[in-house]
Amino acid sequence: MIRYRARWLIPVSGAPIENGVLGVSGRSIEYVGSATDAPQGDEVDFGEAILMPGLVNTHTHLELTAMRGLLEDLEFPEWIDRLRASRNNVLSDDMLLDSARHGIAEGLLAGITTYADTCSSGVALQAMIEMGVRGIMYQEVFGPAPDSRAASMADLRARVEACRVPAGDRPLVRLGVSPHAPYTVSDELFADVAAYARESGLPLAVHIAESKAECDLVCRGTGPLAMRLAARSIATPVRARSPIALLESLGALGRDTLLIHCVHVDEADIALMRDRHCGVAHCPVSNAKLGHGIAPLVEMLAAGIAVGLGSDSVASNNRMHLLEEARAAVLHQRALLRSPDALPAVQAMELATLGGARALRIDAEAGTLERGKDADFAVFDLGAAALPAGDPVAAAIFSLGGAAARFVAVAGEPLVRDGCLVRGDERVQERVASAGRALRVWHDAAATN
Ligand SMILES: [Zn+2]
């Protein structure tokens, strides 16, 4: 057994432990408790540091990492149009794969051990396996025209069958499907994908209730997204009372459904999400940066919904750091509700770890430091900006900010040591920088035409 020792250990399943030890044997946690009672073993002492469960990022687009900073200050429909056009015209599969590798490297250095990634190209699965992290890749599917449902389904089935998911009892990496969003997927295709996911036992993720434009499209058949569909001769009837009600009517809400964003949800929607036991990926920074608004997080949590935090792509964030995301979640809720104790730090820490694991249905393996679970954990130094740290949870949420992790392990395997990637490859970063330059050249030329 290896004894990982730190000034503070935050198990999330219980109160913080001062001078704590995490005992790891192989891939599993064997001991969580005080250093004095810990069984013997080789010891790694991190000193003045916080050791916490590996952070769970419930929403990423790893393949889009090269698009960081490309699309700033745009209206959402325009942002989506430009994102898709530049990705499709510039990024090869090799570039997308490097982009995903680079995204995971960034996440690991921020203590993120689990990635729930919606991916169009399918490269994220390979990147996750190579980098040794935990995750679910939801293969995306698109098709806004009702008569394209068969072609979209055939494409989805072929992509899913082509994925090589490692077998085994407790696989680190799993596969799911993602009908992208109501403005890119017809009702017919939603229903087909939902049925396919149920038959195949695949989890499903969907971007939903994110923007006002999406609500206008679904509930009124109007607005900028409706105009874009109309320009492609796709009818835009009123589809449902709300985006969540739309998914309910199409059989897409269930235990294995991850609802991404949920900014524009009302009481009836929240009751439906609770009754269907859906998970939610809450993306406070992306929602704010794109001007969508603030999701009713406190209400969703009060309803008992499993909520995790998501960074979304760095094209809309522009970084991936879940402790910072947790801080933003708290600040937004307190400002919105004018309440100094809405979403306490303990609850925010839970969102970034156990909440995410619950939303992804992987809480039997990850999300807390508990005996028998996989040893996914991250260590952050309590540097000058985080000391004194009388309350280690408040320090982690409010003071660590975008700090780099010192040590990170997934299923017992160290992936970051002394703040450096164990499996790092500097050439990936160079290639991503070069892809970023190519994107900018193409984008600037397209913008002037
Ligand atoms: Zn997204």
Side-chain angles (χ1 to χ4, degrees):
M1 191 183 85
I2 305 177
R3 293 161 47 117
Y4 292 103
R5 179 175 181 158
R7 172 71 193 281
W8 287 106
L9 197 142
I10 302 176
V12 173
S13 51
I17 301 164
E18 193 164 4
N19 295 317
V21 159
L22 181 77
V24 176
S25 185
R27 71 180 288 168
S28 303
I29 297 173
E30 290 272 308
Y31 173 85
V32 185
S34 75
T36 33
D37 300 333
Q40 292 304 306
D42 294 336
E43 184 165 290
V44 179
D45 188 353
F46 296 111
E48 207 61 36
I50 295 178
L51 191 159
M52 65 180 77
L55 300 166
V56 178
N57 194 343
T58 58
H59 185 48
T60 61
H61 294 262
L62 294 166
E63 65 184 347
L64 302 181
T65 306
M67 303 187 87
R68 189 196 321 266
L70 182 70
L71 309 163
E72 298 296 330
D73 312 328
L74 297 169
E75 288 291 327
F76 184 58
E78 180 75 19
W79 182 87
I80 285 268
D81 286 349
R82 291 206 200 179
L83 184 142
R84 295 182 71 187
S86 38
R87 177 187 63 195
N88 296 343
N89 281 285
V90 179
L91 297 180
S92 65
D93 276 359
D94 284 344
M95 287 171 166
L96 291 163
L97 178 58
D98 277 333
S99 203
R101 290 169 172 144
H102 188 56
I104 294 173
E106 177 181 6
L108 275 173
L109 292 169
I112 298 167
T113 51
T114 297
Y115 301 77
D117 191 75
T118 50
C119 188
S120 160
S121 66
V123 297
L125 192 73
Q126 185 184 334
M128 288 180 197
I129 293 168
E130 275 181 25
M131 304 287 284
V133 298
R134 189 182 302 280
I136 303 173
M137 184 188 84
Y138 300 92
Q139 173 63 55
E140 284 188 318
V141 54
F142 302 85
D147 58 8
S148 71
R149 71 195 284 189
S152 292
M153 276 310 296
D155 180 59
L156 176 65
R157 286 173 192 275
R159 285 176 180 274
V160 166
E161 278 157 27
C163 283
R164 296 273 167 269
V165 186
D169 263 5
R170 289 166 82 160
L172 285 181
V173 176
R174 297 173 195 185
L175 194 62
V177 291
S178 177
H180 175 257
Y183 46 91
T184 50
V185 173
S186 67
D187 289 358
E188 291 79 359
L189 182 55
F190 262 124
D192 285 357
V193 177
Y196 172 62
R198 275 195 305 276
E199 283 160 25
S200 318
L202 295 170
L204 183 148
V206 56
H207 293 81
I208 198 75
E210 180 179 8
S211 65
K212 180 175 177 301
E214 177 195 329
C215 295
D216 286 342
L217 171 70
V218 170
C219 311
R220 288 169 281 283
T222 59
L225 292 169
M227 282 167 59
R228 279 164 168 76
L229 292 176
R232 296 167 63 185
S233 305
I234 297 169
T236 60
V238 173
R239 290 157 76 181
R241 182 192 66 75
S242 71
I244 296 291
L246 175 69
L247 294 185
E248 165 74 356
S249 73
L250 300 170
L253 297 184
R255 269 191 67 77
D256 286 326
T257 301
L258 179 71
L259 302 171
I260 306 159
H261 296 297
C262 299
V263 177
H264 298 272
V265 293
D266 62 17
E267 237 175 273
D269 293 327
I270 291 173
L272 206 47
M273 291 151 64
R274 176 200 60 210
D275 292 347
R276 294 284 176 263
H277 306 284
C278 303
V280 169
H282 175 56
C283 307
V285 173
S286 174
N287 294 340
K289 183 159 185 275
L290 293 175
H292 293 320
I294 300 174
L297 174 61
V298 167
E299 287 88 338
M300 291 192 280
L301 291 171
I305 294 171
V307 183
L309 295 176
S311 60
D312 208 343
S313 78
V314 295
S316 65
N317 190 308
N318 304 8
R319 71 193 318 188
M320 192 200 296
H321 201 297
L322 232 50
L323 292 178
E324 194 182 63
E325 208 71 43
R327 182 173 196 257
V330 176
L331 299 182
H332 296 177
Q333 294 301 310
R334 289 186 183 180
L336 180 72
L337 302 171
R338 301 182 181 211
S339 160
D341 59 357
L343 204 69
V346 166
Q347 207 173 5
M349 175 57 84
E350 186 173 312
L351 285 178
T353 53
L354 178 61
R358 281 189 181 135
L360 302 177
R361 310 290 171 214
I362 58 164
D363 50 310
E365 299 116 81
T368 58
L369 303 179
E370 284 179 276
R371 202 166 175 228
K373 282 198 182 183
D374 281 354
D376 290 14
F377 64 99
V379 179
F380 292 88
D381 279 329
L382 281 165
L387 281 172
D391 176 346
V393 178
I397 298 300
F398 293 122
S399 307
L400 281 178
R406 172 170 166 190
F407 187 94
V408 180
V410 174
E413 191 186 341
L415 298 178
V416 173
R417 277 186 203 277
D418 298 324
C420 296
L421 288 172
V422 173
R423 302 186 186 186
D425 179 352
E426 280 172 16
R427 287 166 302 178
V428 169
Q429 190 168 325
E430 286 163 23
R431 293 197 296 264
V432 171
S434 148
R437 285 190 292 274
L439 278 164
R440 186 158 292 280
V441 168
W442 187 88
H443 181 263
D444 290 352
T448 51
N449 283 339

